[in-house]
Amino acid sequence: LTGGYPNSLKQLAEESLERFFPQTDPRLSRVSDAMKYSLFAPGKRFRPVLALAVVEALGKDPRIALPVACALEFIHTYSLIHDDLPAIDNDDLRRGRPTCHLKFGEDTAILAGDALYAEAFVLILTEQAKYTSPPMLIEVLKEVATATGIKGMVGGQVVDIASTGRAVDLATLEFIHNHKTGCLIRAAARCGAIVGEAEPEQVEAVTRYAEHLGLAFQIIDDILDVTGSVEMVGKTLGRDVDNRKTTFPGKMGVERSRSEAQAATDQALKALSGAGLNADVLFGLADFALRRAS
Ligand code: IPE
Ligand code: IPE
Ligand code: MG
Ligand code: MG
Ligand code: MG
């Protein structure tokens, strides 16, 4: 990881993922192994780190958000397992390893994703409940459920699939990116704000920050599919062209896409000003999202 990434928060998240991973009956070891295979493969842990960073920016101890932060990584991992399936992106490499369905079969991969999604809610209801009172816990649950449903991540995936092989306009491309990727990043920031007891104007500020950050994050994802190195990215490259996906570089070339990502990052940083946050760690994350090579 490049400079600016809060590695201490990443480490905190990774230790907690181990701790919060559900213990199961030995009869379930195949699906449990598939969940672990994908979850504990090397990822950036960007969504949990963002949730923790928002709590830190509010001057609170980031550890109060560890369960919801880990729940977001469970959900993100589910989304990657299902995104890689033959029926969706048909990918063979993820986080530097053969994809879950190649290793365990499509049946187990589908169920591992389903289980990770449900266990995310179990984790919030059992562990986050130790730090967060019921009214705020309900807010957290509402964020996570809404961000991942038909009006959120799944909606983005639906339009992504429907747009395959078609010329879509920029507004549709932004809709795809803001939903398939932006909504979960936005939820991470907002859950951090809720758990960290942010003032309403601080919730607004981190929400706007995360919306711009999410767009920048997915534009860079598109760019890395064209210009990245397989060792760094841990995915087979060039898949967006193979799959006839509509992407930023496909639409406007790599250079203009980079300018768009830079512009979104500038907007993300601007959104934080005047909200009374210790924003350094959030600046660092936005800088990382823009410059990342993995
Ligand atoms: C990849 O996410 C899929 C997107 C939504 C862009 P990340 O780039 O965060 O992947 P990991 O978690 O580090 O593997
Ligand atoms: C993935 O978008 C978004 C979700 C998994 C929800 P991509 O299909 O571009 O992500 P990668 O490139 O496979 O990681
Ligand atoms: Mg996809
Ligand atoms: Mg994909
Ligand atoms: Mg991609």
Side-chain angles (χ1 to χ4, degrees):
L1 299 173
T2 57
Y5 200 67
N7 284 309
S8 59
L9 296 181
K10 183 182 182 224
Q11 199 187 327
L12 211 52
E14 293 204 307
E15 292 163 3
S16 305
L17 284 174
E18 302 267 358
R19 189 154 56 89
F20 292 139
F21 189 82
Q23 299 298 313
T24 55
D25 184 291
R27 275 173 291 211
L28 309 177
S29 64
R30 190 167 174 81
V31 79
S32 177
D33 287 350
M35 292 159 77
K36 286 184 199 155
Y37 175 82
S38 293
L39 186 65
F40 298 119
K44 293 178 287 293
R45 315 305 183 195
F46 188 74
R47 295 143 193 85
V49 164
L50 172 58
L52 301 177
V54 168
V55 177
E56 202 164 79
L58 291 162
K60 305 272 164 66
D61 184 339
R63 287 173 295 187
I64 65 172
L66 279 169
V68 65
C70 290
L72 293 160
E73 188 68 15
F74 282 20
I75 291 174
H76 170 59
T77 303
Y78 128 70
S79 81
L80 300 179
I81 294 171
H82 283 194
D83 180 73
D84 289 336
L85 286 167
I88 303 191
D89 290 352
N90 191 25
D91 270 307
D92 57 5
L93 194 68
R94 171 66 66 183
R95 294 178 164 174
R97 302 180 174 183
T99 43
C100 192
H101 65 272
L102 287 183
K103 179 85 179 171
F104 292 92
E106 284 181 53
D107 48 2
T108 300
I110 290 167
L111 294 169
D114 291 343
L116 283 166
Y117 187 63
E119 291 303 324
F121 288 94
V122 174
L123 186 50
I124 295 169
L125 287 159
T126 56
E127 298 295 330
Q128 191 60 47
K130 296 176 182 171
Y131 302 95
T132 304
S133 63
M136 288 192 294
L137 199 68
I138 290 172
E139 286 301 308
V140 166
L141 290 163
K142 194 167 104 187
E143 277 308 321
V144 175
T146 308
T148 53
I150 190 76
K151 293 181 180 170
M153 183 174 77
V154 166
Q157 289 286 71
V158 168
V159 180
D160 178 295
I161 291 164
S163 303
T164 296
R166 313 181 112 157
V168 302
D169 59 18
L170 186 60
T172 305
L173 179 57
E174 288 190 359
F175 177 97
I176 292 169
H177 284 27
N178 289 335
H179 287 78
K180 75 175 184 178
T181 299
C183 284
L184 192 61
I185 287 176
R186 181 180 186 273
R190 286 174 62 87
C191 288
I194 295 163
V195 168
E197 297 183 59
E199 297 297 334
E201 56 274 19
Q202 294 176 317
V203 177
E204 270 310 299
V206 300
T207 301
R208 298 287 94 78
Y209 161 80
E211 286 172 353
H212 296 300
L213 177 66
L215 179 60
F217 194 90
Q218 184 59 45
I219 296 172
I220 299 298
D221 182 83
D222 289 353
I223 291 174
L224 288 173
D225 190 66
V226 180
T227 67
S229 85
V230 65
E231 292 75 21
M232 290 297 289
V233 175
K235 304 188 271 196
T236 301
L237 302 179
R239 296 291 298 142
D240 290 335
V241 171
D242 296 347
N243 281 337
R244 304 175 69 219
K245 294 283 183 186
T246 307
T247 64
F248 269 76
K251 198 154 188 69
M252 60 182 73
V254 167
E255 282 323 303
R256 261 193 69 201
S257 299
R258 264 192 214 294
S259 315
E260 291 293 325
Q262 176 72 62
T265 304
D266 292 344
Q267 302 237 65
L269 300 184
K270 216 170 91 189
L272 294 174
S273 68
L277 296 157
N278 307 322
D280 282 7
V281 64
L282 299 178
F283 280 35
L285 267 184
D287 188 58
F288 166 78
L290 183 66
R291 295 167 190 269
R292 70 199 178 91
S294 68

